Amino acid sequence: MRIGVLTGGGDCPGLNAVIRAVVRKGTKVYGNEFLGFRDGWRGPLENATMPLGVEQVRGILPRGGTILGSSRTNPYATDDGGQRIRDNLAELGVDALIAIGGEDTLGAAAKLHSEGLPVVGVPKTIDNDLGATDYTFGFDTAVNIATEAIDRLHTTAESHHRTVVVEVMGRHAGWIALHSGLAGGANVILTPERPFDLDQVCEYIEERFRSQYSPIVVVAEGAVPAQAHEVTQTDRLDSFGHVRLGGIGQWLADSIEQRTGKEARAVVLGHIQRGGTPTAYDRVLATRFGLHAVDAVHDKDWGQMVALRGTDIVRVPLAEATAKIKTVPAARYAEAEVFFG
Ligand code: F6P
């Protein structure tokens, strides 16, 4: 069998570990051949390919990014996208596709499967917001990077008696903010799930200053003030209709400084959370996803996504997995609230 592999959406530490596991097991156990598609759905849409075999995956386990490249290309941005992909795969002699991606890439995979494409999905996102899987690889790495940053920011904030606002990634879900904020001992954590009250945030900050410590506020890029609008970098949308987020950290630092009269600084962690080497946890999870994805292809179990449930890897229908994103439940947020102020 000849299997195509693509990685779509924002890159994520562990993508290369998935590719390596797919190729190593597929070659050794099932005698498969592989073809790499470049830059997500752009690859099969435009016949942009690269050789993919054991030789190409040597040494990539600890490397961040993706050797296949990635993009946010939406195959349904044009009417004939689905047909073009099916025609190109037939022309290249590709019998099956493994799509590694987040809600957008796998949403497109679900639609292509409903139109007859033999595809299996692997969930990836540092945001950990994909339904049907307990965790996605990349999340642990992002949380560790953000936690280390928060640890470092505590000491400099305290030396200067100022507030530091740390903006982390998280478009619709505050998982990175919640976990790094809890692990790093943040005094306030703000997530997209719950519009925040600026007066209340300032009260927590004053309370922290009264105890002779400096406040650290962790804010997800998609968090929204109850009294204002979402803060975005530009109005331009990507091909899946998402606006580019970012800027809430600076907005918050300015507002806090104005209201409390005490200096506040913003630090935006941005793509540092996504770049570089994956943690051991993410390498193992990504490897297990890759091994099980190639099993699903061998079983011709099309339209399925591999997922983590407890410590087991299971298969769930792509359509179900991409139906809605996994947000932070109110009870999980309440656990963190005990430490606010
Ligand atoms: O992959 C999701 C994500 O990490 C979001 O949290 C963030 O909004 C987005 O990627 C930013 O990605 P890019 O800068 O590549 O558009």
Side-chain angles (χ1 to χ4, degrees):
M1 195 186 274
R2 193 158 200 239
I3 305 169
V5 184
L6 66 83
T7 52
D11 72 333
C12 181
L15 284 169
N16 285 326
V18 180
I19 299 167
R20 169 181 172 270
V22 161
V23 172
R24 288 282 292 273
K25 183 165 188 180
T27 308
K28 185 172 174 176
V29 178
Y30 300 124
N32 298 139
E33 268 179 43
F34 290 91
L35 184 67
F37 283 105
R38 307 282 330 197
D39 306 337
W41 291 115
R42 187 181 82 77
L45 268 176
E46 299 176 11
N47 263 348
T49 63
M50 62 174 265
L52 187 61
V54 172
E55 196 186 317
Q56 282 77 25
V57 301
R58 289 246 183 262
I60 67 171
L61 174 63
R63 253 173 64 195
T66 159
I67 59 165
L68 298 174
S70 194
S71 76
R72 295 189 187 276
T73 307
N74 182 353
Y76 290 100
T78 57
D79 290 343
D80 65 341
Q83 190 55 50
R84 258 163 61 204
I85 288 177
R86 282 193 297 276
D87 291 347
N88 287 342
L89 293 193
E91 195 183 303
L92 292 163
V94 171
D95 308 297
L97 198 59
I98 295 181
I100 311 165
E103 49 164 329
D104 296 327
T105 304
L106 296 185
K111 197 157 178 211
L112 286 159
H113 167 254
S114 72
E115 295 169 4
L117 196 85
V119 60
V120 164
V122 176
K124 78 78 233 188
T125 164
I126 64 163
D127 292 353
N128 196 39
D129 60 357
L130 260 170
T133 184
D134 289 354
Y135 285 100
T136 47
F137 63 85
F139 173 64
D140 185 63
T141 306
V143 168
N144 273 289
I145 292 168
T147 303
E148 195 201 331
I150 295 166
D151 287 348
R152 289 175 186 279
L153 291 166
H154 271 296
T155 61
T156 173
E158 269 154 33
S159 305
H160 292 269
H161 319 291
R162 53 167 73 125
T163 300
V164 174
V165 177
V166 190
E167 182 183 306
V168 297
M169 279 190 173
R171 181 179 285 278
H172 307 295
W175 291 108
I176 298 177
L178 183 78
H179 279 227
S180 64
L182 260 180
N187 311 110
V188 189
I189 300 170
L190 304 172
T191 64
E193 289 84 352
R194 182 166 152 152
F196 62 86
D197 176 16
L198 192 54
D199 292 331
Q200 173 73 74
V201 171
C202 290
E203 264 174 45
Y204 286 136
I205 283 168
E206 298 286 17
E207 197 181 322
R208 182 71 176 176
F209 274 126
R210 279 195 295 276
S211 67
Q212 305 305 318
Y213 283 103
S214 288
I216 300 284
V217 178
V218 177
V219 60
E221 60 181 349
V224 189
Q227 302 91 336
H229 296 295
E230 190 179 55
V231 181
T232 58
Q233 282 186 32
T234 81
D235 291 340
R236 263 205 337 263
L237 302 181
D238 68 19
S239 78
F240 284 97
H242 302 306
V243 75
R244 188 182 301 170
L245 293 176
I248 184 68
Q250 191 58 54
W251 181 90
L252 205 50
D254 292 345
S255 308
I256 290 168
E257 189 166 299
Q258 211 177 30
R259 289 192 182 213
T260 63
K262 296 186 185 84
E263 192 183 10
R265 297 286 184 93
V267 174
V268 180
L269 296 186
H271 296 89
I272 292 170
Q273 293 157 95
R274 261 180 24 197
T277 188
T279 58
Y281 178 90
D282 281 339
R283 292 181 207 187
V284 172
L285 180 58
T287 297
R288 293 186 71 207
F289 276 166
L291 297 173
H292 285 259
V294 89
D295 289 343
V297 169
H298 180 72
D299 295 343
K300 296 192 169 43
D301 204 359
W302 312 128
Q304 299 288 310
M305 181 189 91
V306 293
L308 181 72
R309 292 271 170 83
T311 54
D312 294 333
I313 308 290
V314 299
R315 295 177 197 167
V316 289
L318 270 170
E320 183 190 312
T322 54
K324 67 176 172 52
I325 63 161
K326 183 180 66 192
T327 52
V328 173
R332 290 293 303 276
Y333 188 81
E335 289 174 358
E337 266 181 316
V338 171
F339 303 97
F340 289 7

